[in-house]
Amino acid sequence: MAELRWNPLINDWVMINSNRQARPNMPKGYCPFCPGSGKLPDSYDVLKYDNDFPALSQNPPVPDEVTGNSSIYKTKPMYGKCEVILFSSEHESSLCEFSVKHIRKIVDMWSERFIEISKDKNIKYIFIFENRGELVGVTQPHPHGQIYGYSVVPKKIELEINCFKSHFEKNKSCMFCDINKDEAEFGKRIVYENEDFIVYVPFFAEYVYQVYIASKAHRANITQFNGKEKDNLALTFKMITGMYDTLFNKKFPYMMCMHNAPVNIGDTDDFYHFHIEFFPPLRSENVQQFNASSETGVWAHCNPSAPEDKAVELREALKRFQDKL
């Protein structure tokens, strides 16, 4: 069974894919992403790999007959694309350990895949992300991220688009450009910045050590960056992931979620602004922050910390990381 099912309570589609339960557990000591596994080239730097057990497919099956006589329920084929981006052939490595030059290759791969996937007119949103650590459910520690191409715009992105558009129509300006300006003037939540990117704990942070990376210039998606901006995005990734790993002197779990403008739905570039959201599941060194009833049931997040205080901790961790370079 693999299909999209309509949730009429919030006007959203849910992916139902029981086939993914058949994903095998890898034998201990075996990594399919390492050279010599028989699945990949003998050597590589950065590599695109089609997911062996994709949640979405460009040749999806016909949905099952499960709606009965309902006038409310509906299904549609689970169309889309799932790719794995292997960051390195080195099994025991992570973004902050790579050179900026190597991370730039990852940035270029993301950009290339964004362009290629967007050529499929059935794809409406391209989501670039990385899950890191067992606390976020990662079972394959080899350094990698993923790209999902969705046939529908996800609900959170739909909400963002509506808010960006409303702000643009009211103020004749990009909301994220205005947020960047406010954060730069206030200063206390800024963690890191370079010529092209600014990083801060958001004013409305939902997670204790959450940060946003935002482009200083107005860009709608990753393909619009010039060479210097891509270099500085690579540098920003090294600094922020190094900051996280230095915070508690251990590999820090996170969900990295890159927000680009949607594709193939009309022009949103004037008001949609590229940014990256990090969601770390730790509230302290050894305590996990859970999404419990309030967060999960009604999307009402409660952050048990002050964003301004956590920005101080993160700046100090970044300084320690930079001192080691």
Side-chain angles (χ1 to χ4, degrees):
M1 177 181 291
E3 62 206 23
L4 295 179
R5 294 191 184 186
W6 180 246
N7 179 351
L9 300 178
I10 57 173
N11 288 346
D12 197 17
W13 291 96
V14 178
M15 293 183 287
I16 303 291
N17 193 336
S18 60
N19 298 328
R20 284 173 61 81
Q21 290 283 16
R23 289 176 295 173
N25 291 321
M26 296 299 173
K28 189 174 182 179
Y30 172 77
C31 174
F33 298 151
C34 282
S37 68
K39 299 178 72 70
L40 299 174
D42 291 336
S43 65
Y44 65 88
D45 284 333
V46 179
L47 186 70
K48 186 274 289 187
Y49 181 82
D50 285 328
N51 197 313
D52 288 325
F53 300 92
L56 301 159
S57 170
Q58 287 173 300
N59 296 292
V62 176
D64 290 8
E65 293 291 341
V66 289
T67 58
N69 295 321
S70 175
S71 61
I72 299 174
Y73 298 153
K74 56 183 177 180
T75 63
K76 65 186 298 185
M78 200 151 75
Y79 190 94
K81 188 81 165 67
C82 292
E83 298 181 350
V84 176
I85 303 299
L86 301 173
F87 295 162
S88 169
S89 61
E90 296 294 326
H91 186 78
E92 297 293 338
S93 59
S94 54
L95 280 174
C96 65
E97 297 169 336
F98 300 147
S99 67
V100 173
K101 183 178 180 180
H102 185 93
I103 301 173
R104 168 64 191 271
K105 293 179 182 179
I106 299 172
V107 172
D108 286 340
M109 178 66 78
W110 284 333
S111 181
E112 291 166 12
R113 296 314 303 159
F114 190 96
I115 292 170
E116 189 62 30
I117 295 172
S118 68
K119 292 177 182 177
D120 183 340
K121 300 305 179 184
N122 292 316
I123 299 295
K124 307 303 179 187
Y125 193 75
I126 300 169
F127 182 41
I128 298 169
F129 64 98
E130 179 194 3
N131 294 322
R132 190 198 195 208
E134 293 182 2
L135 281 184
V136 297
V138 175
T139 58
Q140 176 47 265
H142 195 108
H144 71 285
Q146 298 183 68
I147 304 178
Y148 277 17
Y150 301 103
S151 63
V152 295
V153 177
K155 177 57 66 173
K156 180 171 182 177
I157 301 302
E158 179 186 298
L159 291 171
E160 277 192 353
I161 291 169
N162 291 339
C163 291
F164 276 130
K165 185 177 181 180
S166 177
H167 182 94
F168 185 80
E169 291 174 345
K170 179 180 179 181
N171 299 283
K172 309 305 179 188
S173 62
C174 162
M175 181 165 60
F176 235 106
C177 289
D178 291 346
I179 288 175
N180 287 349
K181 180 175 179 292
D182 290 345
E183 291 295 345
E185 289 179 353
F186 185 69
K188 294 182 180 180
R189 286 181 293 271
I190 293 177
V191 172
Y192 169 79
E193 65 178 311
N194 56 41
E195 189 177 354
D196 296 304
F197 292 90
I198 184 170
V199 184
Y200 43 81
V201 180
F203 173 79
F204 43 83
E206 299 165 341
Y207 284 66
V208 173
Y209 292 107
Q210 183 174 29
V211 298
Y212 279 13
I213 298 173
S215 55
K216 289 184 174 180
H218 182 78
R219 303 285 186 264
N221 67 62
I222 193 171
T223 71
Q224 296 176 359
F225 294 129
N226 61 35
K228 180 176 70 69
E229 288 171 315
K230 288 180 178 178
D231 284 341
N232 276 327
L233 180 57
L235 175 62
T236 302
F237 266 108
K238 183 176 179 68
M239 292 297 106
I240 296 310
T241 55
M243 172 196 75
Y244 275 141
D245 277 10
T246 306
L247 181 62
F248 300 129
N249 294 313
K250 65 181 182 181
K251 289 194 173 183
F252 193 90
Y254 59 73
M255 293 165 279
M256 183 279 289
C257 304
M258 187 182 296
H259 288 211
N260 292 280
V263 297
N264 302 317
I265 67 165
D267 191 9
T268 60
D269 285 8
D270 284 347
F271 55 83
Y272 196 92
H273 193 111
F274 174 94
H275 61 287
I276 300 167
E277 303 179 3
F278 277 83
F279 297 88
L282 289 177
R283 59 190 294 179
S284 63
E285 182 174 359
N286 297 306
V287 180
Q288 183 175 354
Q289 179 175 341
F290 291 96
N291 279 349
S293 297
S294 180
E295 293 82 6
T296 304
V298 293
W299 298 351
H301 287 264
C302 180
N303 185 342
S305 68
E308 295 75 24
D309 293 341
K310 294 304 164 183
V312 173
E313 287 186 48
L314 293 174
R315 284 195 297 269
E316 291 172 349
L318 177 61
K319 178 63 165 56
R320 295 197 301 272
F321 173 70
Q322 291 172 323
D323 288 344
K324 293 186 296 185
L325 295 176

